[in-house]
Amino acid sequence: MAYTTFNRNINDQLKEPMFFGNAVNVSRYDQQKYPIFEKLIEKQLSFFWRPEEIDVSKDRIDFQQLPEHEKHIFISNLKYQTLLDSVQGRSPNVALLPIVSIPELETWIETWAFSETIHSRSYTHIIRNISAEPHKIFDDIMLNERILERAVDVTRYYDDLIDGINLYQRCGEGTHQINGKSEQITLRELKKRLYLCLMSVNVLEAIRFYVSFACSFAFAERELMEGNAKIIRLIARDEALHLTGTQHMLNILASGDDDPEMAEIAKECEEESYAIFMRAAEQEKDWAAYLFKDGSMIGLNKDILCQYVEFITNSRMQAVGLKPRFATTQNPIPWINTWLVSDNVQVAPQESEISSYLVGQIDNEVDTADFGDFDL
Amino acid sequence: MPQVRINGEVVVNFDGSSPNLLQFLEQQQQAVNYQCREGFCGACRCKLLNGQVSYLQEPLAFVRRGEFLPCCSIPKTDIELEIPK
């Protein structure tokens, strides 16, 4: 069925499945099939932050003093995160909005993707500050083979889903001649692509970001690049919430309560779901090897980071009903958790370093030098 | 005072000196995974084998039947819990 931006069918939105039902007409939240998505929206809005609120000027000095191999670690991670958030800032909208059928989930998808665009803008904020030639760093993202390798797996499930939706919404189920090529699509196949896409997004937010996060926090443990760490901390808090969002979607789909066919599909996709997790874990381990190719950093090396990837992969697999596949049961870097604690604990409003107080704030620091040109 | 049995071995009274079960478990030197500590990430998920907990704030993370989040709950009755390995 063709997509319409305002579906004229008078339908009971409470009876629609999350995806592939009627397109949403009225964005109403007085009645909700899954109130959890509105709660996620409210939480995400309460997290709102802007990169400009975080002072990264000291990071410039720190960065200049880093040895070359640590500069490589820092910059490479930022490039990789830029890729991930470029994808995440647009793809949930492009792939999921045309097929979503309940308003609270539709709005969650938009809220989620919007917060990813803030992450993208924050990387520019960080990179502009540490480099006089930010364009060189950004230009390299499209040339760096290590990054492009992962881009393939990060995007292929989105692209498969989007491609299938286009065909289905234009031509319906069946075999169609498109530009001289025969293409086939069924609703069941689309549902399968959706499930795998959500699984791959879950892996992106659950595992792929965390190698970078660990490095950023390892720098900050040494009191280096602390402005960056503050930003990454806010990003990590957002990502933990997004992850909860995709875990809810996956678990609701797999339960079959929403659409009985989806429960069958979830079972059918189990092996591929394992494969998505394991492939991502292997790629992140390769990435750790690339980061540390010229030398480790204090507090982190390739082996520790690989163990962390295994630990976190196990825990994320369990969250979506899969069994852990790695032997690692202990977090090899427990100090990372203190950086991942949600930052809304109120200490004292005058503590401007607490980023939750910085919303809409200006720099209040006053020095005697500020009165230098005062005449009485 | 509710009793808390941890991993089928240790039994400790929840005497109210900890604001939630996660801090309580940490005080007992039990290693529990955690991240947000306010119920939205789900990292601290544990198994609730017996008894009931009450939530200080409703968790946003997905919690399966038989599981609970210690970061935002306290025991309502005597409970028996298992920390995932």
Side-chain angles (χ1 to χ4, degrees):
Chain A
M1 96 194 66
Y3 179 72
T4 168
T5 44
F6 192 82
N7 177 15
R8 305 298 169 90
N9 288 342
I10 299 175
N11 65 325
D12 181 353
Q13 296 187 337
L14 294 174
K15 295 204 172 84
E16 294 292 335
M18 290 196 291
F19 297 101
F20 299 117
N22 275 295
V24 183
N25 42 39
V26 179
S27 296
R28 56 186 287 183
Y29 315 97
D30 59 321
Q31 47 170 38
Q32 294 173 28
K33 188 172 182 190
Y34 297 112
I36 182 65
F37 294 113
E38 197 190 32
K39 290 183 187 141
L40 291 172
I41 295 166
E42 281 167 0
K43 195 76 175 170
Q44 183 67 68
L45 292 178
S46 80
F47 284 173
F48 183 78
W49 58 281
R50 291 180 309 154
E52 300 77 18
E53 291 161 11
I54 292 123
D55 181 4
V56 286
S57 54
K58 190 180 155 280
D59 290 28
R60 188 190 188 88
I61 306 160
D62 291 344
F63 184 75
Q64 281 160 357
Q65 287 165 355
L66 289 183
E68 281 309 312
H69 73 276
E70 291 193 342
K71 280 186 184 163
H72 162 76
I73 296 170
F74 188 84
I75 291 287
S76 301
N77 278 327
L78 274 179
K79 286 178 189 166
Y80 184 31
Q81 283 186 256
T82 305
L83 162 82
L84 294 179
D85 275 312
S86 303
V87 173
Q88 279 306 94
R90 69 175 73 95
S91 315
N93 287 343
V94 180
L96 305 177
L97 292 185
I99 54 172
V100 70
S101 301
I102 55 176
E104 64 273 21
L105 178 55
E106 181 183 54
T107 309
W108 162 245
I109 292 164
E110 292 167 316
T111 309
W112 163 27
F114 170 65
S115 86
E116 308 282 16
T117 66
I118 296 176
H119 303 175
S120 294
R121 291 180 56 256
S122 72
Y123 303 136
T124 300
H125 180 59
I126 295 167
I127 291 171
R128 258 190 199 140
N129 174 65
I130 55 169
S131 168
E133 295 171 311
H135 63 276
K136 285 195 177 159
I137 297 173
F138 285 110
D139 288 348
D140 183 62
I141 297 173
M142 293 301 293
L143 302 170
N144 186 316
E145 273 181 34
R146 302 295 181 141
I147 291 176
L148 293 178
E149 267 170 24
R150 356 194 88 56
V152 176
D153 263 334
V154 167
T155 55
R156 55 187 272 224
Y157 292 97
Y158 270 129
D159 290 346
D160 285 350
L161 176 62
I162 292 166
D163 190 50
I165 293 168
N166 286 342
L167 183 63
Y168 177 75
Q169 292 191 331
R170 194 84 201 129
C171 309
E173 283 191 309
T175 309
H176 310 285
Q177 293 298 319
I178 308 284
N179 295 332
K181 254 175 49 191
S182 171
E183 296 198 35
Q184 201 194 358
I185 192 71
T186 61
L187 183 55
R188 195 184 166 91
E189 167 64 21
L190 265 188
K191 287 182 180 176
K192 197 171 165 182
R193 290 186 194 182
L194 167 68
Y195 187 81
L196 291 172
C197 179
L198 288 173
M199 195 58 86
S200 148
V201 174
N202 185 256
V203 166
L204 189 163
E205 296 183 321
I207 300 168
R208 293 190 186 273
F209 273 110
Y210 279 80
V211 168
S212 270
F213 290 168
C215 295
S216 291
F217 298 143
F219 279 117
E221 288 271 320
R222 290 155 57 197
E223 296 179 6
L224 294 172
M225 313 305 288
E226 289 179 295
N228 172 73
K230 253 182 227 170
I231 290 180
I232 298 295
R233 212 177 161 177
L234 293 167
I235 293 177
R237 183 180 68 171
D238 289 341
E239 291 306 334
L241 192 68
H242 303 164
L243 186 58
T244 290
T246 33
Q247 284 168 354
H248 274 286
M249 285 181 234
L250 285 166
N251 288 324
I252 293 171
L253 292 175
S255 75
D257 296 341
D258 187 60
D259 173 357
E261 199 178 24
M262 270 295 184
E264 289 169 30
I265 287 168
K267 272 206 195 83
E268 254 174 60
C269 292
E270 199 178 89
E271 265 321 295
E272 190 152 0
S273 302
Y274 275 111
I276 292 173
F277 269 98
M278 299 309 276
R279 209 159 46 225
E282 288 315 315
Q283 285 177 347
E284 293 316 303
K285 288 188 203 171
D286 291 347
W287 180 250
Y290 170 69
L291 290 178
F292 296 136
K293 68 183 170 63
D294 302 319
S296 303
M297 55 189 289
I298 298 170
L300 266 190
N301 61 35
K302 177 180 151 268
D303 295 336
I304 295 176
L305 211 43
C306 288
Q307 278 170 32
Y308 183 62
V309 169
E310 294 187 353
F311 168 77
I312 205 156
T313 305
N314 276 349
S315 120
R316 305 314 196 190
M317 287 170 98
Q318 284 168 298
V320 291
L322 300 174
K323 296 208 164 53
R325 285 266 168 108
F326 291 108
T328 313
T329 57
Q330 296 281 319
N331 184 352
I333 45 171
W335 51 262
I336 196 176
N337 288 341
T338 55
W339 289 92
L340 295 169
V341 172
S342 185
D343 187 18
N344 76 350
V345 184
Q346 301 207 343
V347 185
Q350 64 271 27
E351 289 186 32
S352 61
E353 293 303 299
I354 310 284
S355 50
S356 50
Y357 282 102
L358 285 176
V359 177
Q361 276 266 18
I362 51 162
D363 184 3
N364 282 329
E365 208 171 302
V366 181
D367 200 65
T368 42
D370 294 318
F371 297 103
D373 55 355
F374 262 60
D375 257 340
L376 286 177
Chain B
M1 208 183 294
Q3 286 194 328
V4 182
R5 180 183 282 270
I6 306 161
N7 292 338
E9 297 161 5
V10 206
V11 181
V12 199
N13 287 329
F14 188 86
D15 60 4
S17 63
S18 307
N20 56 54
L21 272 160
L22 179 57
Q23 278 197 29
F24 173 78
L25 291 171
E26 285 168 344
Q27 262 173 21
Q28 310 304 322
Q29 311 295 322
Q30 299 283 342
V32 189
N33 189 24
Y34 71 88
Q35 269 191 28
C36 74
R37 302 187 82 96
E38 56 172 272
F40 68 81
C41 80
C44 64
R45 247 179 226 108
C46 288
K47 282 204 174 111
L48 184 61
L49 304 174
N50 267 310
Q52 286 179 314
V53 294
S54 45
Y55 281 108
L56 304 162
Q57 66 207 85
E58 202 194 331
L60 291 186
F62 187 88
V63 185
R64 260 167 238 285
R65 215 164 293 148
E67 289 178 345
F68 77 108
L69 299 184
C71 72
C72 51
S73 62
I74 52 170
K76 198 172 172 181
T77 61
D78 288 354
I79 59 168
E80 202 178 329
L81 63 86
E82 190 186 303
I83 302 166
K85 277 279 164 280

